[in-house]
Amino acid sequence: MRQILWWLGNKFGFGRFTLVCVAERSTAGFEELALPLFDRLYNFAHWLTHNRDEAEDLVQETFAKALKGFSSFEQGTNFKAWIFRILRNTFLNSRTGLKAAMVPLDSQDDDPALPVESETPETILIDRASDRIMQEAIEELPVAYREVLLLCEVEEMSYAEIAATLAIPMGTVMSRLSRARRALRVAVKEKLQRSSS
């Protein structure tokens, strides 16, 4: 535990008093579960915020909240989904998150008629598109689509883990994922056409 507190203190500038208070509330298992997820949490936070400083603040606040609430974590449940949910909720409650969440989604989010595609044309486009074009296209997605796409494709979470992380039904996960992939495919195609003209 001292390692994570020392690291958080150096990384994010926690004061000595803050670390002592946090250490008193911590448990030994938190470090073992949380540290391996740091890079993944930071990457997800950066995709959500589009800003390095805000992403660092978001991860710092997530770790502090998770450490404070670790006693409420049920051993044997999915820690990864639990801490990602804390990060997501912290983001949505932030000023940046509130602005981003105001982008309206289609009203038929739970449409079961939309199949979830596995090998699709967008995977071919992704392979051909430059990193810059792909990053811009992902950043333009509404947060609800961006987060489900990143949790599935980058974090390789199962639909059940995504549903638990986002607190939405699994049908909504599949619907949003399908729509996110479709929107990403269209955006990348348009960007590739513009760049080749």
Side-chain angles (χ1 to χ4, degrees), residues 94-112:
S94 71
R95 210 170 352 151
T96 306
L98 289 172
K99 282 188 225 172
M102 292 179 150
V103 177
L105 301 176
D106 295 340
S107 60
Q108 301 170 356
D109 235 4
D110 291 315
D111 186 358

Side-chain angles (χ1 to χ4, degrees), residues 111-181:
D111 186 358
L114 293 172
V116 177
E117 304 151 354
S118 57
E119 190 64 34
T120 60
E122 99 265 356
T123 59
I124 297 166
L125 286 174
I126 289 171
D127 291 338
R128 295 182 186 160
S130 71
D131 289 341
R132 184 184 53 75
I133 289 174
M134 182 57 62
Q135 185 171 353
E136 287 174 5
I138 291 172
E139 288 175 357
E140 291 171 4
L141 291 174
V143 170
Y145 292 165
R146 189 174 357 139
E147 66 188 3
V148 77
L149 183 70
L150 293 170
L151 290 174
C152 180
E153 302 298 340
V154 177
E155 295 305 324
E156 298 178 351
M157 286 185 175
S158 68
Y159 295 156
E161 289 177 317
I162 296 170
T165 300
L166 303 181
I168 58 177
M170 201 166 343
T172 304
V173 170
M174 295 187 307
S175 172
R176 286 185 187 176
L177 187 56
S178 176
R179 291 167 194 238
R181 287 175 172 160

Side-chain angles (χ1 to χ4, degrees), residues 57-98:
D57 290 345
L58 181 56
V59 171
Q60 174 186 355
E61 191 171 346
T62 299
F63 267 78
K65 285 181 177 180
L67 188 56
K68 182 178 179 182
F70 188 62
S71 62
S72 69
F73 173 70
E74 289 182 39
Q75 295 298 326
T77 60
N78 191 331
F79 180 81
K80 180 178 168 185
W82 182 76
I83 198 164
F84 268 84
R85 186 173 187 176
I86 292 171
L87 185 138
R88 177 188 182 259
N89 289 341
T90 303
F91 168 72
L92 290 177
N93 289 325
S94 71
R95 210 170 352 151
T96 306
L98 289 172

